[in-house]
């Protein structure tokens, strides 16, 4: 099967923006991971995206993925040209998010009678059919994928998309080769590898360091936690706003250097594996990949009671949900979990079992391919 993926940005050429936030978005990880999975399966996969910077190539191979960057202001014309020449005989079209230029691919697919699938990765992407001519075209796809119940509900109620066209399907994580629990010997080795010395348990936050991830809530909670359990270490993994990262470092100095700022890393799996509890006080999410990774690694989780987090924590029974911004509640739940080995173990085992059954990207791949081919499946 020859699959064309459309996404707003892909490997734009700069790792961080001026504020320090990584330019690689969740949607880009989503597209890259699915492209790799489909290639492993034996499909031909291509990505069309915006050409954002002058120095990026118009077409190149990135990790085995054929990436074509569309030039402004004639992206629509280049789409038609590419689909008639270098990218002809495409079997199906997979659109991630709502990039404006992708409407021309939808029109082309309709003319060629090829199936189109639109996946929304955030509730802010949910559209109303009558907003403008673009949303009218977005409303004409053959299938839609919602990664959370909140997004699915939005597509049906606000977008007026028929229920049978909207499929609830998480993006998934690699539960076998990357995100899996390890024993105490391996955990000790990893802590020595990354020069993490602590007599207490490690609480992990692993995501972009931006305000909507609840960094301020986390720091207020940590002040309370540190006062009761000074031996605990908070590990902050991920790039983000430089001012916020500096604020975390200043707070750490005030609290006996009990927070370790790691920054952006290429592979996060080993940081989950060396930790004991996952803390995620985010204010809003689609379906957070980082929470799926933590659950898959067997970490008991304390997360915000918001869309996406509810979809993961409640059915998996992998942790506790706390009202967003309730830093006292976050602190209380962390302290309770630290002292309750039995509960931690239950959350760990339950979460890992759920991840193996419902979150493994390889297990989910056949359902994705059936949707892309417009083969009706039961959700």
């Amino acid at each position: 099967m020859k699959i064309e993926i459309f996404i707003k940005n892909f490997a734009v050429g700069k790792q961080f923006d001026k504020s320090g936030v990584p330019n690689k978005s969740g949607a880009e990880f989503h597209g890259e991971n699915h492209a790799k999975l489909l290639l492993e399966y034996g499909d031909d996969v291509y990505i069309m995206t915006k050409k954002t910077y002058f120095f990026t190539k118009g077409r190149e191979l990135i990790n085995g993925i054929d990436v074509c960057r569309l030039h402004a202001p004639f992206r629509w014309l280049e789409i038609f040209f590419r689909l008639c020449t270098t990218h002809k005989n495409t079997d199906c079209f997979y659109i991630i998010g709502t990039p404006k230029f992708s409407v021309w691919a939808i029109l082309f697919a309709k003319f060629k009678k090829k199936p189109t699938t639109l996946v929304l990765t955030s509730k802010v992407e949910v559209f109303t059919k009558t907003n403008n001519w673009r949303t009218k075209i977005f409303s004409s796809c053959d299938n839609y994928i919602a990664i959370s119940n909140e997004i699915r509900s939005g597509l049906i109620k606000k977008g007026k998309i028929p229920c049978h066209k909207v499929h609830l399907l998480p993006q998934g994580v690699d539960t076998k080769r990357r995100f899996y629990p390890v024993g105490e010997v391996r955990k000790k080795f990893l802590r020595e590898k990354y020069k993490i010395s602590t007599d207490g348990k490690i609480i992990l936050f692993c995501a972009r360091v931006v305000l909507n991830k609840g960094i301020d809530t986390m720091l207020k909670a940590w002040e309370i936690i540190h006062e009761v359990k000074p031996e605990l270490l908070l590990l902050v993994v991920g790039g983000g706003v430089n001012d916020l990262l500096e604020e975390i470092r200043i707070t750490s100095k005030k609290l006996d250097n009990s927070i370790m700022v790691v920054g952006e890393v290429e592979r996060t799996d080993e940081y989950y594996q060396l930790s004991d509890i996952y803390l995620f006080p985010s204010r809003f999410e689609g379906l957070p990949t980082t929470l799926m990774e933590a659950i898959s690694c067997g970490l008991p989780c304390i997360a915000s009671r918001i869309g996406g987090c509810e979809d993961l924590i409640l059915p998996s029974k992998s942790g506790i949900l706390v009202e967003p911004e309730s830093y006292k509640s976050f602190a209380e739940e962390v302290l309770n979990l630290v002292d309750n080995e039995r509960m931690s173990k239950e959350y760990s085992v339950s979460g890992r079992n759920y991840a193996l059954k419902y979150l493994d990207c390889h297990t989910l791949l056949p359902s994705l391919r059936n949707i892309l081919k417009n083969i009706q499946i039961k959700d």
Side-chain angles (χ1 to χ4, degrees), residues 143-156:
N143 288 290
Y144 299 82
I145 294 175
I147 62 173
S148 73
N149 279 295
E150 186 177 40
I151 295 171
R152 183 179 186 274
S153 178
L155 277 169
I156 294 169

Side-chain angles (χ1 to χ4, degrees), residues 19-20 209 215 218-219 222 234 236 238-264:
S19 72
V209 180
I215 303 301
M218 180 176 69
L219 292 181
W222 192 252
L234 174 60
V236 178
V241 178
N242 291 324
D243 290 345
L244 276 178
L245 288 166
E246 184 59 26
E247 184 180 344
I248 295 171
R249 294 185 182 100
I250 291 170
T251 301
S252 180
K253 288 180 181 178
K254 291 179 181 177
L255 302 176
D256 307 312
N257 296 315
S258 60
I259 307 174
M260 181 175 176
V261 179
V262 177
E264 187 74 3

Side-chain angles (χ1 to χ4, degrees), residues 259-294:
I259 307 174
M260 181 175 176
V261 179
V262 177
E264 187 74 3
V265 297
E266 187 66 28
R267 289 176 64 95
T268 56
D269 43 356
E270 292 184 340
Y271 287 95
Y272 292 108
Q273 291 166 345
L274 63 79
S275 300
D276 298 293
I277 295 172
Y278 191 67
L279 180 61
F280 194 58
S282 185
R283 290 184 165 92
F284 63 86
E285 293 289 333
L287 190 72
T289 300
T290 179
L291 193 52
M292 284 192 282
E293 292 168 349

Side-chain angles (χ1 to χ4, degrees), residues 199-213:
D199 295 326
K201 292 186 176 181
I202 293 178
I203 316 301
L204 174 67
F205 169 88
C206 182
R208 283 187 175 196
V209 180
V210 292
L211 199 59
N212 65 16
K213 297 297 183 184

Side-chain angles (χ1 to χ4, degrees), residues 154-190:
L155 277 169
I156 294 169
K157 293 178 180 178
K158 182 181 176 181
K160 305 299 180 186
I161 304 298
C163 293
H164 71 275
K165 286 189 172 186
V166 184
H167 307 273
L168 186 63
L169 191 73
Q171 60 271 42
V173 294
D174 191 340
T175 65
K176 308 286 178 56
R177 293 180 294 188
R178 287 197 60 192
F179 300 101
Y180 54 87
V182 298
E184 290 301 318
V185 173
R186 176 65 177 171
K187 182 178 287 190
K188 182 180 179 182
F189 168 80
L190 291 174

Side-chain angles (χ1 to χ4, degrees), residues 327-342:
Y327 66 91
K328 290 182 180 178
S329 297
F330 272 106
E332 181 182 351
E333 296 298 349
V334 168
L335 291 169
N336 286 341
L337 203 52
V338 165
D339 287 332
N340 196 327
E341 289 292 339
R342 180 186 60 80

